[in-house]
Amino acid sequence: MAKAKTTFFCKNCGFESSKWLGKCPACGEWNTFVEEIVSKPAGKQKGYGGEKHKSKPAPVHVISSEKEERIDTRSDELNRVLGGGLVPGSVVLIGGEPGIGKSTLLLQMALSLDGTRILYVSGEESNRQIKMRADRVGINNPECYILNETFTGEIFKHIEELKPAMVIIDSIQTLYTDMLDSSAGSISQIRETAAELQRFAKTSNIPVLLIGHITKDGSLAGPKLLEHMVDTVIQFEGDRHYGFRILRTIKNRFGSASELGIFEMQSGGLREVSNPSEILLSQRDEMVSGVAIAAMIEGQRPMLVETQALVSTAAYGTPQRSATGFDLRRMNMLLAVLEKRSGIRLSNKDVFLNIAGGIRVDDPAIDLAVVAAIISSSEDMPVDNNICFAGEVGLSGEIRAISRIEPRILEAEKLGFEKIMISRYNLKGIDKKRMNIEIVPVNKIQDVAERLV
Ligand code: TYD
Ligand code: MG
């Protein structure tokens, strides 16, 4: 009998090698190689001079340039993250930690698309479990079919019979194809089943939504390759202790890759949060030190978030520095700038920083609020709760201009703030007459400290 053909794969990035390696040459990770059986049916000649072609080249001017039509998912937040709705024939991967609500999100979408025929394939849960979830969500779509199956050959047969307008797979890690001998969830199976689904979506023009699990370090379980194969990757994240869930675009061939959708997990399913500032600004009746509001932008949407800092004398030798929702290295840089340029002593202080609501912020415009919160906590002096901040801090302590200042100011005004502190260099682009809010321009980090007193 012929020996089964095996190959080694890197668990992290999907790199393939004929022998085991200690360190992956592609991604540099150690000890990530696993052996897998990859015998494909022999005989079929591939490559140049093989089969007769099925595809045909077309001159670019002949290809129709109609606007890509979109399927409305009946959820504004989901539509936004997808770039304006689901594109027919696209493959969307939704990643997230176990229990975050991926199944709920897609089942809820399937049930709200009343009259659209949808096949929901689950390899994880029994029909009864899914039915219980559907009852909790409390909406019904008589055309939503549930299938308990993990073999792709069987799934494609059902699709042919049922002719759904959309296919949901929960989850890609449970599928297997008989093209390979390795077990479901292995890297080669994930790769192959995803490729089959990708081919299916492209030839049939039926969109496929895949659920994918995420490993502890935050990457999608299975090769990074999966992210390259699909059209759109969105991540569902949030702290399990908060009810809020954030849907974030990571990659999108059909739209912006920096969109954000916000949901709240309730007892009857996910609710859309259309005004995020309200939840991101926590209890603001009392003025406490160490709190400053930032006017940030995620994707296309301005929103106000609360940054909280706690500065206290280090109890032990080495001061502790910790940041939640904000890059720790950037916080350390801001602390160094503060110390050097404004003379506030921080080197022997513990500093804790938190972005309220459990969200993660990359927008550099939040720097100014972080600095204000740190100064406020360090001096134990509350920041006026009618002011918010938008500006980037440079290494020499200058407050730099940021992009799209107007929508931020308008959002602050809408939420009833009386003042907004911004970089002096941002003043040029603003039509002050339109704004009903006092603009406080600052130049250097020293000015911030002075203005706060
Ligand atoms: P689930 O969609 O099963 O998560 P995933 O598919 O990402 O693993 O969601 C699981 C959590 O959501 C579970 O802890 C229960 C909670 N939940 C609610 O709070 N309300 C609801 O209406 C539903 C359906 C689930
Ligand atoms: Mg699930």
Side-chain angles (χ1 to χ4, degrees):
M1 208 180 93
K3 203 166 156 252
K5 188 177 176 298
T6 65
T7 306
F8 293 86
F9 287 99
C10 167
K11 272 193 293 193
N12 188 46
C13 68
F15 183 81
E16 200 175 326
S17 159
S18 59
K19 59 179 198 301
W20 190 86
L21 299 171
K23 184 184 179 188
C24 174
C27 65
E29 286 291 312
W30 286 92
N31 231 349
T32 52
F33 275 82
V34 286
E35 183 174 16
E36 284 183 6
I37 304 163
V38 285
S39 45
K40 284 201 180 186
K44 269 198 179 169
Q45 174 82 17
K46 283 219 176 123
Y48 185 74
E51 290 167 45
K52 271 246 151 50
H53 47 68
K54 290 195 198 100
S55 50
K56 194 168 144 238
V60 71
H61 68 271
V62 175
I63 300 169
S64 84
S65 60
E66 282 166 41
K67 208 166 163 279
E68 199 74 66
E69 59 172 303
R70 305 268 179 167
I71 302 165
D72 179 6
T73 63
R74 309 277 162 89
S75 156
D76 290 343
E77 300 295 300
L78 189 56
N79 282 346
R80 183 201 336 268
V81 171
L82 291 168
L86 192 60
V87 175
S90 68
V91 179
V92 178
L93 176 66
I94 297 178
E97 284 175 20
I100 204 79
K102 302 179 293 298
S103 308
T104 308
L105 177 73
L106 292 192
L107 185 66
Q108 198 169 334
M109 181 200 78
L111 294 175
S112 63
L113 279 165
D114 199 8
T116 309
R117 183 166 288 186
I118 293 170
L119 181 62
Y120 186 107
V121 183
S122 178
E124 302 213 324
E125 290 160 311
S126 68
N127 284 353
R128 269 204 46 224
Q129 280 174 300
I130 297 171
K131 170 73 178 144
M132 272 160 59
R133 181 175 295 133
D135 288 343
R136 271 183 92 168
V137 170
I139 36 181
N140 189 25
N141 172 8
E143 288 288 297
C144 176
Y145 289 81
I146 309 293
L147 172 67
N148 252 295
E149 183 58 66
T150 53
F151 171 43
T152 53
E154 199 62 34
I155 293 171
F156 287 127
K157 265 188 233 156
H158 283 295
I159 290 176
E160 245 159 63
E161 279 168 31
L162 198 64
K163 299 197 173 36
M166 190 186 294
V167 177
I168 296 170
I169 306 283
D170 187 0
S171 66
I172 184 75
Q173 276 99 346
T174 60
L175 294 193
Y176 73 95
T177 165
D178 59 357
M179 297 280 282
L180 304 170
D181 294 335
S182 49
S183 58
S186 64
I187 288 147
S188 44
Q189 283 288 7
I190 292 177
R191 214 157 68 155
E192 199 57 38
T193 49
E196 283 180 10
L197 288 163
Q198 172 80 353
R199 275 195 298 274
F200 158 72
K202 291 289 169 282
T203 44
S204 65
N205 216 22
I206 295 172
V208 177
L209 294 128
L210 304 174
I211 289 179
H213 293 295
I214 272 201
T215 52
K216 269 199 242 76
D217 59 3
S219 61
L220 283 164
K224 207 67 189 140
L225 220 105
L226 192 54
E227 291 187 21
H228 297 303
M229 288 166 73
V230 300
D231 300 303
T232 304
V233 180
I234 53 186
Q235 186 147 315
F236 209 24
E237 54 190 40
D239 204 310
R240 230 175 305 176
H241 306 294
Y242 293 96
F244 303 113
R245 299 282 182 272
I246 289 159
L247 206 53
R248 194 187 284 277
T249 323
I250 293 181
K251 156 185 172 177
N252 195 357
R253 286 190 183 144
F254 310 110
S256 151
S258 55
E259 284 299 344
L260 202 75
I262 301 184
F263 294 88
E264 185 179 359
M265 182 62 94
Q266 294 183 331
S267 58
L270 289 159
R271 180 186 71 90
E272 296 186 27
V273 176
S274 40
N275 184 1
S277 301
E278 266 168 32
I279 60 155
L280 297 173
L281 297 179
S282 64
Q283 309 69 30
R284 298 203 307 122
D285 311 338
E286 247 175 81
M287 295 218 290
V288 285
S289 67
V291 173
I293 313 298
M296 65 158 200
I297 286 197
E298 272 284 353
Q300 298 300 318
R301 196 155 46 151
M303 50 181 98
L304 296 175
V305 289
E306 186 173 307
T307 60
Q308 307 167 339
L310 181 67
V311 179
S312 63
T313 308
Y316 306 102
T318 328
Q320 290 187 66
R321 300 283 157 88
S322 130
T324 312
F326 189 74
D327 184 20
L328 183 61
R329 271 176 306 178
R330 185 139 190 104
M331 181 181 92
N332 283 327
M333 182 216 102
L334 292 176
L335 292 175
V337 173
L338 260 176
E339 174 126 19
K340 177 123 184 143
R341 308 286 169 196
S342 70
I344 297 176
R345 298 273 297 143
L346 292 163
S347 55
N348 58 346
K349 297 282 173 72
D350 285 342
V351 181
F352 303 96
L353 186 74
N354 181 35
I355 309 293
I359 76 160
R360 201 183 70 223
V361 185
D362 311 318
D363 186 356
I366 194 174
D367 285 357
L368 196 54
V370 169
V371 164
I374 292 171
I375 297 175
S376 157
S377 176
S378 164
E379 310 286 299
D380 198 17
M381 164 194 77
V383 176
D384 189 349
N385 61 6
N386 286 321
I387 186 166
C388 62
F389 302 83
E392 185 183 343
V393 176
L395 280 182
S396 61
E398 82 276 19
I399 310 299
R400 303 169 60 94
I402 49 166
S403 64
R404 289 186 285 162
I405 189 76
E406 281 211 0
R408 301 176 200 258
I409 298 176
L410 292 173
E411 177 75 7
E413 187 192 315
K414 199 171 85 191
L415 287 161
F417 283 86
E418 289 163 13
K419 294 184 213 166
I420 181 165
M421 189 184 283
I422 62 168
S423 161
R424 192 169 65 88
Y425 303 103
N426 259 135
L427 279 179
K428 273 201 278 1
I430 309 174
D431 180 9
K432 269 206 199 150
K433 270 178 253 113
R434 269 178 56 207
M435 319 260 173
N436 204 356
I437 182 171
E438 183 187 339
I439 291 171
V440 184
V442 281
N443 224 352
K444 298 186 300 272
I445 208 162
Q446 293 91 307
D447 304 345
V448 182
E450 278 163 27
R451 292 289 193 133
L452 286 180
V453 189

